[in-house]
Amino acid sequence: MEDKTITKIPFGQLGIIVHESCKELGQKVDDYIVERRKEEFANSCSEYHLEEIKDTYVIDSEIVRFANGEAKGSLKETIRGKDIYILADIGNYSVTYNMFGHENRMSPDDHFQDIKRLISAIAGKARRIHIIMPLLYESRQDKRNSRESLDCAMALQELENLGVENIFTFDAHETRVQNAIPQTGFESLYSTYQIIKAMNKVDAEICFDKDEMMVISPDTGAMDRAIYYASVLGLDVGLFYKRRDYKKIIDGRNPIIQHEYMGAEVEGKDILIVDDMIASGGSVFDIAKELKKKNARNIYVAVSFTFFTNGIEKMNKYYEEGYIKKLFSTNLTYVPQKFKDAEWFEEVDMSKLISLLIDTVNYDDSVSPILDSTNKIKSIVGK
């Protein structure tokens, strides 16, 4: 999947605009594309291919911030007729700006506004505009309960109205939000293959065998994801049901009273808990403790995005006490260095897949092989 050869003529000259929030990931993506194209087109007689061999495809861009907090997007080179890909991480809270002498951390709202500024700076001169937003903006506010806003749908419609042709994200909280933009391309990719590959490489004790391991969904919303993992790995699947107190609302949500387990016996088995993200980590901690009470062996957690909004002190404690052995998470959103340095954390690099996605779309090839990694996963399990 990640080694596919590109042979078609490009739709337009490739240009990648990397927002400040995504510099590290963007550099890796650019390096992969440069390396791939130099290898594939070095002996090509096609003038189109030879023109596409460059040392970098990143467009020099900047967000200029004024002292009162206002800003503007600026492009330092021409993008006329190019196939543009804007890469931004709306979850990167390490990016700051100065406002009236105070240093402020950028919120998802600030990052999304910058994306729109960059699109505005393009001013219709690009041939196509694609957004690669690994962490989908406002993805947790995808549906309406009572009198609430529909933030994710509104944001997607804004991008559509600005002329964006395709929106790419990873492990969207609810993929049906694409119904808000039926005439615009929307794809949600998954990190399943890369995570399983990392698990197979990092921990020799992991055995993807039905008698040795189970997949657990932390709630009903993540059940489809857990079923996919279980199906391709040939494992049993279990579910934790969240009993909530619907009489109360704390921090905008009904508090969880208890996690109820439904599934086969977990005693003596390794457990793989899969979800799209870890926010505070509360649910994972409660589930890990319940599974250990049922005499589960080793507990692994696999997610696309890791936040730990309340810090990692509790995670450190749960690791030291043997509740959780390893957390596998991607570099699709900002990961603080202290997370990376922790013994329990294993970062899964997704830059090669993103580079292949950009190459594939730029050459107007089908992205279906990238979306479906079942055969690749089965080859790992078979080995």
Side-chain angles (χ1 to χ4, degrees), residues 194-230:
Q194 286 76 15
I195 288 176
I196 292 175
K197 185 178 178 181
M199 292 180 67
N200 193 55
K201 181 179 179 181
V202 169
D203 197 331
E205 295 181 12
I206 295 178
C207 179
F208 298 115
D209 184 88
K210 190 174 183 180
D211 296 327
E212 301 291 331
M213 177 177 276
M214 276 188 66
V215 177
I216 297 293
S217 172
D219 53 40
T220 54
M223 196 59 188
D224 287 344
R225 186 181 297 100
I227 290 173
Y228 178 74
Y229 269 90

Side-chain angles (χ1 to χ4, degrees), residues 2 14-19 22-37 54-58 85-88 132-134 170 331-332 349-360:
E2 294 182 343
L14 175 61
I16 305 173
I17 298 177
V18 180
H19 185 256
C22 229
K23 290 293 185 185
E24 184 177 345
L25 180 62
Q27 184 60 60
K28 290 181 178 180
V29 169
D30 184 48
D31 289 343
Y32 273 122
I33 295 176
V34 169
E35 180 183 1
R36 184 183 295 117
R37 294 195 174 188
K54 298 180 180 179
D55 293 327
T56 182
Y57 297 91
V58 175
Y85 297 77
I86 299 176
L87 183 59
I132 301 178
M133 195 188 308
F170 282 80
N331 60 342
L332 291 170
D349 184 21
M350 299 297 294
S351 57
K352 192 171 184 179
L353 179 60
I354 295 176
S355 72
L356 180 60
L357 172 68
I358 292 174
D359 252 343
T360 301

Side-chain angles (χ1 to χ4, degrees), residues 44-67:
S44 174
C45 297
S46 169
E47 61 177 298
Y48 296 103
H49 289 161
L50 294 175
E51 286 179 2
E52 282 298 290
I53 300 178
K54 298 180 180 179
D55 293 327
T56 182
Y57 297 91
V58 175
I59 302 295
D60 191 8
S61 62
E62 182 185 11
I63 298 294
V64 180
R65 186 72 59 171
F66 301 107

